[in-house]
Structure formats: C-alpha cells, structure tokens
C-alpha cells in the first residue's frame, strides 16, 4: 500500500512542474502574440535563469530572496543583451532572417 504522504508529494511535484511549464508557455505565447516572432532562445534564457538560481542558492549559499533577485537581474540582462546584439539589427529584415538569428542565439547559449 502506497502511503498518503508519498501520493501527496507526487501531486505537489506535478503541480510545481506543470506551473513552471505553463509559465514558459505563457512567455512563448506573449512573444509570438505581440511580435509575431518565434523566439527559439526563450527556453535557453529560462534555463540560464534556473542554473543561476541553483548556483547562487546552493553553491554560494545566498539566502533564497537575494539569490532570486540576483537571478532575475542577471537573466534580464541576458535577454536584453540578446535583444540588443541579435534581434534589434534585424527588426526590419525578413522573418526568415529573424528565425535564423533566433536559432543561432539558441545554439550559442547552449554551447
């Protein structure tokens, strides 16, 4: 017989994972809905934020609120840097150019 606490923990973990996926999906939807642009680097920026939070909280032993604030700031800086150096020069270019630039930004962040 499976314990009630184990079932409850699995349900809570599923809700947390679903919430994270929903948050990323809303970001994709907002970007596409406003700019009509598929940002392939969106997932990599979110993953960069997750790794930064992990690093600040578990490796540098910072308190969670301070680590979260630093993560939001640095992840925003990553997004603004990508926008400035990759996307802003291609705003009036054909959509295929933006698509290729988004794939390139994604691959660069992955590397």
């Amino acid at each position: 017989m499976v314990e009630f606490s184990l079932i409850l923990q699995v349900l809570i973990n599923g809700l947390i994972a679903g919430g994270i996926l929903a948050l990323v999906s809303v970001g994709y939807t907002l970007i596409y809905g406003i700019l009509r642009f598929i940002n392939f680097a969106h997932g990599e920026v979110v993953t960069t934020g997750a790794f930064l939070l992990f690093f600040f909280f578990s490796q540098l032993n910072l308190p969670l609120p301070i680590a979260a604030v630093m993560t939001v700031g640095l992840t925003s800086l990553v997004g603004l840097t990508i926008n400035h150096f990759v996307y802003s020069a291609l705003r009036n270019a054909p959509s295929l150019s933006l698509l290729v630039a988004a794939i390139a930004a994604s691959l660069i962040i992955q590397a």
Side-chain angles (χ1 to χ4, degrees), residues 45 48-50 52-53 56 64-80:
V45 173
T48 301
L52 283 172
L53 183 62
F56 290 145
L64 186 59
I66 294 172
V69 168
M70 290 178 63
T71 299
V72 168
L74 285 176
T75 306
S76 298
L77 188 64
V78 168
L80 288 171

Side-chain angles (χ1 to χ4, degrees), residues 10-95:
V10 169
L11 287 173
I12 291 170
N13 288 346
L15 287 173
I16 291 171
I20 292 170
L21 290 174
L23 186 64
V24 174
S25 298
V26 166
Y28 271 122
T29 304
L30 282 173
I31 291 171
Y32 183 75
I34 294 170
L35 299 176
R36 296 287 180 214
F37 164 63
I38 300 172
N39 185 7
F40 284 105
H42 182 76
E44 281 75 15
V45 173
V46 171
T47 305
T48 301
F51 278 120
L52 283 172
L53 183 62
F54 172 76
F55 177 74
F56 290 145
F57 184 65
S58 68
Q59 303 299 315
L60 296 182
N61 296 320
L62 293 174
L64 186 59
I66 294 172
V69 168
M70 290 178 63
T71 299
V72 168
L74 285 176
T75 306
S76 298
L77 188 64
V78 168
L80 288 171
T81 303
I82 292 170
N83 181 49
H84 180 72
F85 289 111
V86 178
Y87 300 140
S88 65
L90 299 173
R91 289 284 181 233
N92 297 323
S95 60

